[in-house]
């Protein structure tokens, strides 16, 4: 149980940083990203980190 706290913290940091970065790179007037290839990579990692956080929180509530 002790080892999951640092992993959860790391994924929270990743999700926050990538969320802010995606928000800043998105052009709301044209509805496009400045760098689309990099944005796809950011979205994949962001979604993965959110999924890990959700699965981890579900495991904690079941116990």
């Amino acid at each position: 149980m002790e080892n999951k706290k640092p992993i959860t913290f790391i994924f929270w940091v990743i999700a926050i940083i990538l969320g802010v970065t995606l928000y800043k790179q998105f052009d709301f007037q044209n509805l496009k990203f400045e760098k689309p290839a990099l944005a796809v990579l950011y979205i994949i990692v962001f979604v993965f980190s959110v999924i890990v956080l959700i699965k981890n929180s579900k495991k904690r509530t079941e116990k």
Side-chain angles (χ1 to χ4, degrees):
M1 194 74 173
E2 294 287 328
N3 292 336
K4 293 192 179 197
K5 287 183 182 179
I7 292 173
T8 304
F9 177 72
I10 290 170
F11 280 110
W12 271 109
V13 170
I14 291 171
I16 291 170
I17 290 172
L18 289 179
V20 169
T21 304
L22 284 169
Y23 180 77
K24 286 183 178 179
Q25 285 191 357
F26 190 71
D27 182 15
F28 288 100
Q29 292 178 345
N30 298 328
L31 299 177
K32 293 182 181 180
F33 285 101
E34 293 175 10
K35 301 175 183 175
L38 192 58
V40 170
L41 179 65
Y42 286 163
I43 290 170
I44 292 170
V45 176
F46 177 75
V47 168
F48 175 75
S49 64
V50 169
I51 289 171
V52 168
L53 289 170
I54 291 171
K55 284 185 179 181
N56 194 14
S57 69
K58 284 184 180 180
K59 286 182 183 178
R60 286 187 181 181
T61 57
E62 288 177 358
K63 289 182 180 183

